[in-house]
Every structure is written in structure tokens, then in C-alpha cells.
Amino acid sequence: QVQLVESGGGSVQAGGSLRLSCTASGSISGIDVMSWYRQAPGSQRELVAIIGSGDYTDYAGSVKGRFTISRDVTKNTLYLQMNSLKPEDTGVYYCNAIKMRSFWGQGTQVTVSS
């Protein structure tokens, strides 16, 4: 089992920045891919950013150039640096890890006001 705990959400004005963290615990060896998803009210959960083996990264088009995904393996922590935030970035942000199956955190709320 893998446990994921997100933190760092909050309320900011448009143009501001936030850094989300996701700390993994449990049986974490063998996790290859970790990612951030978000879900806005009334919408489906969508992939925001992904980091794989060799620190390969990819981003949704809507956040490319503004968000950066990274991880610190010594701290078992995944990060999402979010800059130039827009109201449409509002939603609950979830951490995801793939190890034989998909594991999810509980989510952290991000609210961006105009």
C-alpha cells in the first residue's frame, strides 16, 4: 500500500503562486510514475502534470510554462510549483502514484480569485 498526503493548497489572487507538496509513505519503492490531477466543480478530474523514470515530465497544455512538477526522492515528496495562477486553475488538486495500481491522496483545495 502507498499513502499519499497533499499539502500547500490555499487561496490566492490571479497572478500569484503556490507550491503543492505530496508526501508518500508505505511501500514506496517501485513507484515509477507520479502525477498531479485537478478537479474543478462540475468537471471531470484532469491530468495536470506527470513525472516518470529519468525525471521525464509532461504537462497539460493549459499549464505548460506556468507549472513545474518535481520530486525529492530523499524526502519521498512530489511537488507542483504553480506560477501565474489563473481563476481557471481553481479546483481540488490530487496526487497520484502508480505501483501495480493507482493510489490517490485526499486532495488539497486551490482557489484563485480574479
Side-chain angles (χ1 to χ4, degrees):
Q1 290 286 358
V2 176
Q3 293 80 44
L4 303 172
V5 179
E6 301 98 335
S7 61
S11 297
V12 295
Q13 289 192 326
S17 297
L18 284 173
R19 189 176 81 156
L20 306 183
S21 299
C22 169
T23 301
S25 61
S27 181
I28 59 175
S29 77
I31 294 176
D32 288 324
V33 177
M34 296 191 74
S35 51
W36 288 99
Y37 284 73
R38 68 185 178 193
Q39 188 166 19
S43 298
Q44 290 189 334
R45 196 172 294 189
E46 62 173 352
L47 177 64
V48 174
I50 188 168
I51 186 165
S53 57
D55 284 343
Y56 163 84
T57 60
D58 202 4
Y59 299 89
S62 60
V63 307
K64 198 169 289 186
R66 300 188 296 121
F67 290 12
T68 303
I69 188 171
S70 62
R71 59 185 168 188
D72 185 337
V73 295
T74 65
K75 297 181 179 179
N76 299 325
T77 301
L78 179 73
Y79 301 101
L80 185 68
Q81 178 66 44
M82 306 187 294
N83 299 328
S84 302
L85 282 161
K86 303 176 181 180
E88 51 263 44
D89 295 319
T90 293
V92 179
Y93 283 68
Y94 297 91
C95 176
N96 175 270
I98 303 293
K99 181 186 173 183
M100 303 296 289
R101 69 172 183 89
S102 190
F103 294 90
W104 295 93
Q106 83 289 350
T108 186
Q109 176 71 44
V110 171
T111 302
V112 185
S113 58
S114 57

